[in-house]
Amino acid sequence: MAQSPFRLTLVALGTLAIGGGLWFVTHSFSNEPAASTPTAGLQTASPSVPGTATVPPPTVDRAAAQAVLNSPAAQAYQTRLQFAADYRRFIQDAARLSDEERQRQAEALAKEVERREAATELALSEALLLQLGLAQAQGGDEAEQKARAEQLLARYQALSRQRETLAKAPDARFSQYKSEEKRIVDEVLTLQTIPDGLSRDQYLRQRLQEAREQAYR
C-alpha cells in the first residue's frame, strides 16, 4: 500500500527537531483553551453555619484585574489562543468551504505562521507542521498534495541549513572586540605610568570594558 504524501514527508522532519512541534500541535490545536476570567480562583462565601463567624468574600480590585488583562503579555496570550482557534476551525471546516474561501483562509493562516516563526514564536519544526496541515487541508489529488508537501519540506530544510550556517559564522562585533582587546592588552603592558592612580589590572579592566561597550553599541 502506498504511503500518503504527508506520511512520506513527516519521516524527514527529524532534521528540524520535531519533538517540540508535535507537542505544540497536539496541545494547542487539539484541545479547547480553558476559559479564564479576572475572578478565576477566587473563593465565594460559604453558607452560614450556626455558631460560626461569617467570612466575607474577598474583594476584587477590578482596575488591577483589567490592567493585567490589558498587559502586553496577556494580549499576546489571547492572540495566540485566537490563532490556535482559527487554525483548528479551518482544519475542521476546510472540506465544507468553497475553493476560493478555502484558498483565501489557507493563505492568510500560512502568512501568520510565517510571521510567528520569524518572530521566534514558533520553532521551524512547529511552523513546518502547521504549514503541512494547511497544505493538506487545501485538498487535491495525492500528486498535488505530495508536491506541496515536498516543496514545504525543501523550503524549511533550506532555511534550517541557512540558520545553522549563520550561527556558526563569527560575530562581526565579537571579532572587532577581540582585535581591539589584543591591542589594548599590548598597550597597557608597555605603559610605564598608569593613569588616574589605578593599578595596571584596574586600568586594563576599564579599557576592556570601554572596548566592549564600543563594539556592541
Side-chain angles (χ1 to χ4, degrees):
M1 180 182 296
Q3 291 181 313
S4 70
F6 285 86
R7 182 177 297 277
L8 290 172
T9 303
L10 289 174
V11 170
L13 273 171
T15 59
L16 295 177
I18 189 173
L22 284 176
W23 186 95
F24 182 84
V25 172
T26 55
H27 286 70
S28 295
F29 298 114
S30 298
N31 302 327
E32 291 292 337
S36 61
T37 64
T39 57
L42 294 181
Q43 296 179 345
T44 57
S46 58
S48 298
V49 178
T52 62
T54 301
V55 179
T59 59
V60 177
D61 188 336
R62 297 188 180 279
Q66 191 61 46
V68 171
L69 292 177
N70 292 338
S71 68
Q75 293 295 317
Y77 177 70
Q78 290 298 326
T79 300
R80 289 196 297 272
L81 288 182
Q82 186 60 56
F83 170 64
D86 290 343
Y87 185 96
R88 182 173 57 248
R89 187 181 305 109
F90 172 76
I91 296 299
Q92 293 173 347
D93 298 342
R96 295 191 292 271
L97 300 174
S98 66
D99 292 344
E100 294 77 8
E101 181 62 17
R102 184 166 56 249
Q103 182 70 18
R104 185 190 69 79
Q105 291 191 28
E107 289 178 356
L109 287 168
K111 289 180 180 179
E112 181 64 10
V113 170
E114 291 178 1
R115 186 194 70 78
R116 289 178 176 276
E117 192 281 320
T120 68
E121 297 175 17
L122 294 172
L124 278 177
S125 56
E126 295 171 335
L128 175 56
L129 284 171
L130 295 176
Q131 296 282 23
L132 286 172
L134 293 174
Q136 187 175 33
Q138 291 180 58
D141 60 29
E142 183 172 324
E144 290 175 332
Q145 292 190 29
K146 183 177 180 181
R148 285 198 295 264
E150 291 178 345
Q151 184 178 20
L152 282 168
L153 181 61
R155 172 185 167 195
Y156 277 88
Q157 285 180 329
L159 185 57
S160 178
R161 289 192 296 268
Q162 178 185 4
R163 292 185 181 178
E164 288 178 1
T165 300
L166 290 175
K168 295 176 182 178
D171 185 279
R173 294 175 299 179
F174 179 73
S175 298
Q176 174 187 341
Y177 167 72
K178 295 302 290 184
S179 177
E180 186 69 2
E181 178 188 54
K182 183 178 185 306
R183 187 192 66 80
I184 291 172
V185 170
D186 291 342
E187 176 187 330
V188 172
L189 288 177
T190 61
L191 288 177
Q192 298 299 317
T193 303
I194 307 301
D196 303 324
L198 299 173
S199 69
R200 193 179 299 274
D201 287 346
Q202 289 172 331
Y203 183 62
L204 177 60
R205 288 197 298 271
Q206 176 181 306
R207 291 287 303 278
L208 292 177
Q209 177 63 33
E210 292 172 353
R212 282 193 296 272
E213 293 175 354
Q214 183 65 31
Y216 288 92
R217 181 175 301 173

